[in-house]
Amino acid sequence: MSLHDDLTSVQRRLDDLMRCVARLDEQAGDSLDMRRVRADAAHLRESLGLLQASAPAAAGSRTVDMVSISDAPYDRGLWTDAEDEGLGSPYRHAP
């Protein structure tokens, strides 16, 4: 399944959950546990909405821009006073 299909499937199941929570709320009444279930279901709905909003952006950001690197040699001035990694300064003896 594609990401879009999975998100649609989760949305349908979440809609079913919200309907069941509403029916349960009518039967169970307003209690601390029922408020917690309502809050958790609402939090799931918000989180799924955020995921759906960011999913197209994440799928579209996978394009890679090519960066061309010149074949011209580097300016030797860039390496002035640089030490060779692992060998130390050219003025000292290597171990």
Side-chain angles (χ1 to χ4, degrees), residues 44-77:
L44 276 173
R45 178 172 281 210
E46 290 173 16
S47 296
L48 183 62
L50 291 172
L51 183 61
Q52 287 173 328
S54 67
S61 67
R62 293 188 182 166
T63 58
V64 177
D65 294 332
M66 297 296 289
V67 177
S68 62
I69 298 174
S70 174
D71 288 334
Y74 288 110
D75 178 15
R76 288 219 171 270

Side-chain angles (χ1 to χ4, degrees), residues 7-62:
L7 288 173
T8 302
S9 176
V10 171
Q11 181 65 51
R12 277 195 308 264
R13 285 171 174 78
L14 186 58
D15 291 340
D16 290 341
L17 174 68
M18 295 303 283
R19 283 190 291 274
C20 291
V21 167
R23 282 193 307 262
L24 185 62
D25 190 24
E26 292 173 2
Q27 296 172 2
D30 191 31
S31 66
L32 176 62
D33 294 330
M34 195 62 228
R35 281 182 274 167
R36 184 176 296 137
V37 169
R38 278 194 317 262
D40 289 345
H43 187 251
L44 276 173
R45 178 172 281 210
E46 290 173 16
S47 296
L48 183 62
L50 291 172
L51 183 61
Q52 287 173 328
S54 67
S61 67
R62 293 188 182 166

